[in-house]
Amino acid sequence: MKYGSLIIEKKEYVYLKRILNVSGYAEDHETQKCLMKLSEELKTAQIVSEEEMPKDIIRFNSIVTLVLENGLEKKLQVVIPTERNINQNKISILTPMGSALIGYSKEDTIFWDFPGGKQQLKIIDVSQEETFSGLDIVM
């Protein structure tokens, strides 16, 4: 792990904690397991201000290029649940893939227990769209 632990921007951290608290109602057991793992990882995450946030960290609205274990390259955007759109490759933070990626950085390799089994993901690029922190957080 490039930075030693997950790095999360303060406002995004608050939002994540809120949605994780209510996501216990997720019907899918495998999704619940992924969200519990993310919740555990957040306990040791570095929480930083917008100004301190490295540009290569996956956060809300980041566009991520990764290589799956089978060699397939995939480009997707990690978004808040209401912005998800599979046809535009926008995945919710509450999906197993979204929860696996948040807080990691370019060049990190992640081993994550997905519903289909444990997989390795290599993050090869991260770019930032409009940052989530500038948006009003409404729950």
Side-chain angles (χ1 to χ4, degrees), residues 38-52:
L38 174 60
S39 189
E40 285 301 308
E41 285 192 329
L42 288 176
K43 291 177 181 177
T44 58
Q46 295 178 55
I47 312 304
V48 300
S49 69
E50 179 68 37
E51 297 75 33
E52 298 171 300

Side-chain angles (χ1 to χ4, degrees), residues 65-117:
T65 305
L66 49 95
V67 175
L68 306 177
E69 221 170 52
N70 61 8
L72 184 69
E73 189 171 301
K74 190 157 187 71
K75 190 173 194 170
L76 46 84
Q77 186 172 17
V78 179
V79 297
I80 61 174
T82 56
E83 298 293 318
R84 75 183 184 278
N85 183 328
I86 198 68
N87 294 328
Q88 296 176 357
N89 290 323
K90 292 182 177 187
I91 61 164
S92 165
I93 182 62
L94 295 181
T95 63
M97 180 69 79
S99 63
L101 293 172
I102 199 78
Y104 282 91
S105 67
K106 180 179 177 178
E107 299 175 9
D108 279 348
T109 299
I110 303 168
F111 296 93
W112 198 261
D113 204 3
F114 289 98

Side-chain angles (χ1 to χ4, degrees), residues 2 14 16 28-29 33 40 53 64 67 71-72 91 95 107-108 118 126 129 131 137-139:
K2 184 176 181 178
V14 169
L16 260 178
D28 180 80
H29 177 70
K33 278 180 25 184
E40 285 301 308
M53 196 67 188
V64 183
V67 175
L72 184 69
I91 61 164
T95 63
E107 299 175 9
D108 279 348
K118 197 175 257 327
V126 177
E129 285 285 305
T131 60
I137 299 173
V138 178
M139 286 293 295

